[in-house]
Amino acid sequence: MLDPMLKAFIERIPKTELHCHLEGAIQPATLLNLAARNGIELPFSDEAGARKFYEFTSLNQFLEIFALACSTLKTAADFETITLDLGADASRQGISYREVFFTYAYHQRRGISWDEVVKGIAAGREKARQMYGVEMWFIADIDRTIDPQDGVQTVEMAYASRDVAGIIGVGLDSQEIDYPARRQKPAYDRAKELGLHRVAHAGEDVGPESVWDALESLEVERIDHGVRSIDDPKLVKLLVERQIPLTVCPLSNIELKVYPNLAAHPVKRLRDAGVLVTLNSDDPPMFHCDVLDNYFAVTDTFGLSLEEVEDFVRNSFRATFQAQSEKDSYLKRFDETAAELKAELWGM
């Protein structure tokens, strides 16, 4: 059982999150409101029905549910609503900084313009900063399945909107099987030319070869998930040597049957090997967990010490794409708050 004082420490310490999808974070109540606002018929009529509908058994089924959530988004006001909700959610969990994915391909297929999406994100981001003191930056995710030239176009649009909407980089998501990262090399080459940060989902539904592909073909700076790297000692050694962060979402991996239970998950083995591992939520309502739940579960399952918990939180700040001066400022605040909480909770 999780120590109550350690639980309080996790709740109250400043945190960051680097792996959360804007569209996948829409809460059931908001989803119902958006559907009503836009005349969208859903296969459920209340929050309980939504939670039941969110039950799935595979990544492909999850992606179908994700697409349904996206279908409720039509206007800039809709994107502003879900962005502001994410700011409120961050504040509730003590998350002071968040780097958030959004996947334009899901909206482009429905005829929603890039400008409509970006306008809403920008407005929600600014309101979240003003109302909750939460800083959010965005990563424009490229759907692995789209044509590579469409991937290049996504990069160009992201670069043009970087200041307006706080777009800090590009990522890669969606169906990992049959769609290797190298398909989108033209987009990543262009992103590198433009100075955008580069990340990619890899090593979740496919083994370590997927992580190698993202690292070697796309020259990514961070791997999203990456848990199956544990199956290749040479890859683990490389991740340690280069200190390439993994944005791990343990409870999401269990929901998607990547591992049978949390005890079998390699999150602690990767961390103990020296990999820079961070803890994240992925798509909170769809996986029935948030950042706090992931910290609680990992701490309880693996019997983490206070020092190990602190290490996971520090890793998340270290792995952000902020300027070093900003990282130092966040880490200083973290250290000061940690010292205060230790004194209060343990008399240290």
Side-chain angles (χ1 to χ4, degrees), residues 244-260:
I244 296 169
L246 301 185
T247 65
V248 176
C249 309
L251 296 181
S252 159
N253 295 155
I254 305 310
E255 287 280 327
L256 285 171
K257 316 299 182 188
V258 180
Y259 296 98

Side-chain angles (χ1 to χ4, degrees), residues 41-56:
E41 187 173 343
L42 298 173
F44 47 82
S45 58
D46 55 27
E47 291 184 49
R51 284 189 285 271
K52 185 175 180 180
F53 185 78
Y54 280 171
E55 300 293 339
F56 50 85

Side-chain angles (χ1 to χ4, degrees), residues 213-234:
D213 188 25
L215 291 172
E216 294 177 341
S217 301
L218 308 185
E219 299 181 56
V220 298
E221 301 162 78
R222 231 167 41 201
I223 294 289
D224 301 309
H225 293 301
V227 289
R228 293 179 66 181
S229 300
I230 196 70
D231 299 329
D232 185 342
K234 184 179 178 182

Side-chain angles (χ1 to χ4, degrees), residues 101-168:
F101 299 112
F102 72 100
T103 308
Y104 178 58
Y106 281 92
H107 313 301
Q108 185 176 32
R109 291 169 188 145
R110 300 179 294 112
I112 309 300
S113 73
W114 172 270
D115 288 343
E116 196 75 11
V117 176
V118 165
K119 181 181 176 182
I121 287 173
R125 175 181 184 245
E126 183 57 33
K127 284 187 178 179
R129 181 187 290 132
Q130 294 175 0
M131 294 172 65
Y132 304 111
V134 172
E135 188 69 27
M136 288 191 289
W137 290 77
F138 290 88
I139 295 174
D141 254 0
I142 298 168
D143 184 324
R144 282 175 175 267
T145 68
I146 67 174
D147 184 273
Q149 285 309 307
D150 290 335
V152 174
Q153 184 184 36
T154 299
V155 170
E156 298 284 0
M157 293 188 297
Y159 180 73
S161 304
R162 66 194 186 284
D163 295 330
V164 173
I167 299 176
I168 203 168

Side-chain angles (χ1 to χ4, degrees), residues 34-310:
L34 289 169
R37 180 192 294 178
N38 292 313
I40 304 295
E41 187 173 343
L42 298 173
F44 47 82
S45 58
D46 55 27
E47 291 184 49
R51 284 189 285 271
K52 185 175 180 180
F53 185 78
Y54 280 171
E55 300 293 339
F56 50 85
T57 58
S58 69
L59 178 59
N60 284 345
Q61 187 182 1
F62 162 74
L63 291 173
E64 291 173 4
I65 296 169
F66 189 92
L68 176 72
C70 288
S71 75
T72 66
L73 301 166
K74 289 192 173 184
T75 68
D78 298 336
F79 288 94
E80 178 181 338
T81 293
I82 63 172
T83 303
L84 185 57
D85 277 359
L86 203 56
D89 171 74
S91 178
R92 174 185 63 81
Q93 296 184 78
I95 298 170
S96 52
Y97 178 91
R98 223 169 194 171
E99 289 177 10
V100 183
F101 299 112
F102 72 100
T103 308
Y104 178 58
Y106 281 92
H107 313 301
Q108 185 176 32
R109 291 169 188 145
R110 300 179 294 112
I112 309 300
S113 73
W114 172 270
D115 288 343
E116 196 75 11
V117 176
V118 165
K119 181 181 176 182
I121 287 173
R125 175 181 184 245
E126 183 57 33
K127 284 187 178 179
R129 181 187 290 132
Q130 294 175 0
M131 294 172 65
Y132 304 111
V134 172
E135 188 69 27
M136 288 191 289
W137 290 77
F138 290 88
I139 295 174
D141 254 0
I142 298 168
D143 184 324
R144 282 175 175 267
T145 68
I146 67 174
D147 184 273
Q149 285 309 307
D150 290 335
V152 174
Q153 184 184 36
T154 299
V155 170
E156 298 284 0
M157 293 188 297
Y159 180 73
S161 304
R162 66 194 186 284
D163 295 330
V164 173
I167 299 176
I168 203 168
V170 296
L172 191 69
D173 66 8
S174 192
Q175 190 175 333
E176 197 174 354
I177 295 173
D178 296 331
Y179 293 93
R182 58 185 174 274
R183 286 185 72 250
Q184 299 296 340
K185 179 173 169 53
Y188 276 73
D189 287 347
R190 183 60 177 144
K192 184 178 181 180
E193 289 175 4
L194 294 172
L196 290 169
H197 291 288
R198 303 168 309 285
V199 304
H201 285 55
E204 179 191 23
D205 216 28
V206 177
E209 65 273 19
S210 177
V211 179
W212 281 114
D213 188 25
L215 291 172
E216 294 177 341
S217 301
L218 308 185
E219 299 181 56
V220 298
E221 301 162 78
R222 231 167 41 201
I223 294 289
D224 301 309
H225 293 301
V227 289
R228 293 179 66 181
S229 300
I230 196 70
D231 299 329
D232 185 342
K234 184 179 178 182
L235 177 55
V236 171
K237 184 173 183 290
L238 178 74
L239 294 172
V240 174
E241 289 175 350
R242 295 189 187 175
Q243 283 295 278
I244 296 169
L246 301 185
T247 65
V248 176
C249 309
L251 296 181
S252 159
N253 295 155
I254 305 310
E255 287 280 327
L256 285 171
K257 316 299 182 188
V258 180
Y259 296 98
N261 52 59
L262 193 54
H265 196 285
V267 59
K268 190 170 188 298
R269 283 181 287 153
L270 286 163
R271 182 260 176 200
D272 290 348
V275 179
L276 202 165
V277 178
T278 71
L279 298 181
N280 309 271
S281 67
D282 206 353
D283 302 274
M286 297 184 181
F287 294 121
H288 318 293
C289 65
D290 56 21
V291 174
L292 288 176
D293 292 325
N294 276 273
Y295 271 96
F296 296 155
V298 170
T299 301
D300 187 32
T301 299
F302 297 103
L304 298 187
S305 66
L306 172 61
E307 291 73 22
E308 288 171 322
V309 170
E310 289 183 276

